[in-house]
Amino acid sequence: MLKYSLKATALFPITIYRGCLWLSSRAWRGHTNDYYKKATALILYLFGGLPLTVFVLLELVIFANARLMAGPLEPVSSLPELATGHVDQIKLPGHSPHPKPQGVQLADISGEHRYQQLLETYSPTIIQKIGHQPLWDVPTDIFFDSDTDPRNNVDNALARGTLPSVVYGEVIAETDDSYYLAYMLYHIKDYDSPLREALSNMTYHDSDNEGLQLRVDKASMKVALVETWFHNRFFLCNSHGESSGTEPIQSRALFEDGNHVIIYTQAMGHGIRCAEERDFLKLATHTKILRHNSRHTHREQLRVDDGSQFSISYRLASLKPWYEMARNFQPSGKGKQSLFEDSLVIGTDSLGRQVQVGKYIAGRDFDRRGWSRPKPPWSWDDRWDDIPVGTWHLDPARAFSSHTGEKLSDNYLYNAPASMMLDQRRDTSKQGVTPSNINSGRHSNLAHQSAPQKSHANRETSKINLQVKKYINRLINSLG
């Protein structure tokens, strides 16, 4: 009996199909025609048994990956003593009272100084996990070696043995009701466990670039929305855990000092998501906590090792040099020196001409498949969402409106990437920028447009889509 049970469990796809045959036989037990029984069994399997088979297979993959290559997946129900406080007043190890008032006063500040204050005021607290190659887990400056060619970054980093901790930050846009801030973490190399690297060269590559964008509500001057880039998928977070748009809420956003969202960055693959309570149980080992320079009264020198440090400072660097070099790309290949490779059409300029920019961050391993190559933020494209490539970074009001269902202003008072890459205007403070010439692919039903009311059937379909996306998020998050 035990032998039979183990065999049935191991061959569960066949067991599920046999179960469908049994149900069909029970339903048609008064009929002798086998055609009805087989047809019914096939329908049961296609609409019930097959989805169940796929679900069980995916759960087994998640379980095996968690046990062999990652940490445990069990969530924590409450915050441990290691990190305490309300959701907007979390105190992680290394936290010190904010040296500046928490209130945001911008009335007497103008231009770039105002945007710099916003970047510092809302700078994220970063939980950076460390793997078996600590040097590659340091977020740093792509120009750390004083040249603009990232193809030599791996060799130059190995020669130095250490790297400065740098996070890219930019106020990318301002509208009537919002400020949109982008933060980006560049790592010299994406790597994986030795086993997965041996199985596929798609699991590692030179350079890695992931990040997040915030929407700061002008009325309250609080972070209203957070969206991160996690391995080719956008993960949405907010303070109340609900969304009426096309994207599900991955988790509630947690903050230090009210304004500094806590971000969790994986070791090795560097996927970025909002930190969750379960992450705070694993800070004692293989963890570096980074905060912006302005927030530290005591700064700890970063050690390139897998030991935990809780008071690391990072410097903010501007994304404007990236925008300026976006059009100066070259085809992938050897002997090149550009920052970016290959082309991506993101829209048209003010004269109606197509604008092509660099699609990938240049690297020596340019022959990898496109989905695994590192990309600048304007190339981040989630195949599961409803907006075209480029929109998330160049038209954040449209992107957040689509993903959350909120009615947000799309009247841009300032838009740095759209101005510098589409119109090539170096004066990014020019008022009234409207990126209407950005790619207009998958965005016919956006919340900030006058969308028709959904029928009951459409609402139910949307709910199903959100649940499917939630599971996709869980799968990507678990497999890393």
Side-chain angles (χ1 to χ4, degrees):
M1 182 64 181
L2 178 61
K3 182 179 179 181
Y4 177 80
S5 299
L6 291 175
K7 183 179 179 180
T9 303
L11 301 176
F12 71 90
I14 298 174
T15 303
I16 291 173
Y17 179 69
R18 286 176 175 172
C20 294
L21 285 173
W22 180 82
L23 288 173
S24 176
S25 298
R26 296 283 295 177
W28 293 98
R29 57 186 170 184
H31 296 264
T32 58
N33 194 330
D34 286 343
Y35 174 79
Y36 295 109
K37 295 179 181 180
K38 291 180 180 179
T40 303
L42 183 60
I43 292 172
L44 287 172
Y45 186 73
L46 287 177
F47 291 97
L50 185 59
L52 179 60
T53 301
V54 173
F55 173 76
V56 173
L57 280 172
L58 291 176
E59 287 298 309
L60 287 174
V61 170
I62 290 173
F63 178 84
N65 185 75
R67 295 301 178 268
L68 295 176
M69 304 173 192
L73 296 176
E74 293 78 9
V76 178
S77 58
S78 60
L79 292 172
E81 293 182 1
L82 198 56
T84 59
H86 191 260
V87 291
D88 64 348
Q89 294 292 336
I90 301 294
K91 294 181 181 179
L92 294 177
H95 172 271
S96 58
H98 204 290
K100 296 181 180 179
Q102 291 187 26
V104 182
Q105 304 294 331
L106 299 175
D108 300 328
I109 306 176
S110 60
E112 294 298 321
H113 295 293
R114 177 161 56 110
Y115 292 142
Q116 184 61 33
Q117 180 178 334
L118 284 170
L119 286 173
E120 295 180 7
T121 300
Y122 300 100
S123 58
T125 297
I126 301 167
I127 298 174
Q128 174 68 67
K129 299 302 291 185
I130 306 297
H132 60 91
Q133 297 288 340
L135 186 63
W136 309 140
D137 292 320
V138 178
T140 193
D141 187 355
I142 197 170
F143 310 123
F144 76 97
D145 53 0
S146 302
D147 68 44
T148 59
D149 183 3
R151 297 168 186 82
N152 58 20
N153 280 359
V154 171
D155 292 340
N156 290 344
L158 286 171
R160 295 186 178 208
T162 187
L163 291 166
S165 49
V166 177
V167 172
Y168 282 93
E170 199 69 52
V171 177
I172 54 173
E174 177 184 354
T175 63
D176 292 335
D177 59 8
S178 306
Y179 294 104
Y180 294 95
L181 284 61
Y183 296 93
M184 201 174 68
L185 278 66
Y186 169 81
H187 294 82
I188 299 294
K189 191 174 179 66
D190 177 298
Y191 69 106
D192 211 326
S193 66
L195 176 58
R196 295 214 309 195
E197 287 190 0
L199 292 173
S200 172
N201 68 357
M202 298 299 148
T203 62
Y204 60 95
H205 50 79
D206 290 356
S207 290
D208 199 17
N209 190 51
E210 314 221 14
L212 64 145
Q213 289 184 178
L214 313 177
R215 183 181 85 81
V216 178
D217 178 67
K218 278 187 171 181
S220 64
M221 292 308 293
K222 291 292 186 181
V223 176
L225 295 166
V226 183
E227 195 158 40
T228 70
W229 180 241
F230 189 98
H231 302 305
N232 297 311
R233 182 87 176 96
F234 293 127
F235 280 3
L236 184 64
C237 316
N238 60 20
S239 59
H240 51 81
E242 296 179 359
S243 169
S244 58
T246 61
E247 292 300 308
I249 297 296
Q250 171 66 15
S251 64
R252 293 183 65 185
L254 305 176
F255 295 86
E256 276 194 328
D257 296 317
N259 294 329
H260 305 281
V261 64
I262 304 173
I263 296 300
Y264 180 92
T265 307
Q266 288 179 310
M268 302 186 289
H270 310 132
I272 292 178
R273 58 173 171 77
C274 290
E276 302 172 17
E277 294 179 357
R278 62 187 171 94
D279 300 321
F280 303 148
L281 282 180
K282 296 175 281 186
L283 300 181
T285 59
H286 302 90
T287 303
K288 311 286 186 186
I289 297 182
L290 297 87
R291 300 174 179 87
H292 182 250
N293 291 338
S294 62
R295 299 177 55 204
H296 275 296
T297 54
H298 169 69
R299 301 177 186 176
E300 194 175 357
Q301 183 67 36
L302 186 144
R303 302 189 310 268
V304 182
D305 58 23
D306 60 3
S308 288
Q309 293 179 273
F310 302 134
S311 301
I312 306 298
S313 295
Y314 65 78
R315 173 175 63 86
L316 281 171
S318 175
L319 279 170
K320 289 189 174 71
W322 291 52
Y323 304 152
E324 291 172 347
M325 288 184 275
R327 291 196 186 192
N328 301 325
F329 59 87
Q330 294 177 312
S332 293
K334 297 180 180 179
K336 309 294 177 63
Q337 293 183 324
S338 61
L339 179 60
F340 304 113
E341 292 180 325
D342 296 346
S343 65
L344 171 72
V345 176
I346 59 169
T348 57
D349 63 16
S350 55
L351 299 177
R353 299 170 298 191
Q354 265 195 354
V355 174
Q356 295 186 21
V357 295
K359 186 175 184 179
Y360 304 113
I361 297 173
R364 296 175 300 183
D365 47 3
F366 57 85
D367 55 344
R368 304 289 168 84
R369 292 179 184 175
W371 66 267
S372 67
R373 292 182 66 181
K375 305 173 186 69
W378 55 82
S379 291
W380 294 346
D381 185 26
D382 187 340
R383 295 296 181 180
W384 292 87
D385 73 359
D386 297 325
I387 59 173
V389 61
T391 302
W392 190 73
H393 192 65
L394 278 75
D395 193 355
R398 171 178 290 172
F400 273 120
S401 292
S402 174
H403 289 175
T404 67
E406 296 181 16
K407 188 176 179 63
L408 301 173
S409 169
D410 60 353
N411 179 40
Y412 284 93
L413 309 176
Y414 172 90
N415 190 312
S419 296
M420 296 183 71
M421 291 196 291
L422 288 174
D423 293 335
Q424 290 294 286
R425 288 196 295 262
R426 290 297 175 261
D427 181 10
T428 58
S429 64
K430 186 169 181 178
Q431 302 296 299
V433 178
T434 304
S436 57
N437 47 349
I438 293 172
N439 259 341
S440 57
R442 315 186 299 268
H443 66 273
S444 58
N445 185 27
L446 298 180
H448 69 275
Q449 299 173 347
S450 53
Q453 291 292 322
K454 291 182 179 180
S455 66
H456 176 72
N458 286 338
R459 286 196 296 269
E460 292 304 313
T461 302
S462 297
K463 290 179 181 179
I464 294 172
N465 286 339
L466 285 177
Q467 292 303 317
V468 171
K469 288 181 178 181
K470 276 186 177 181
Y471 188 74
I472 294 297
N473 288 358
R474 167 178 155 75
L475 183 64
I476 294 173
N477 187 18
S478 300
L479 298 181

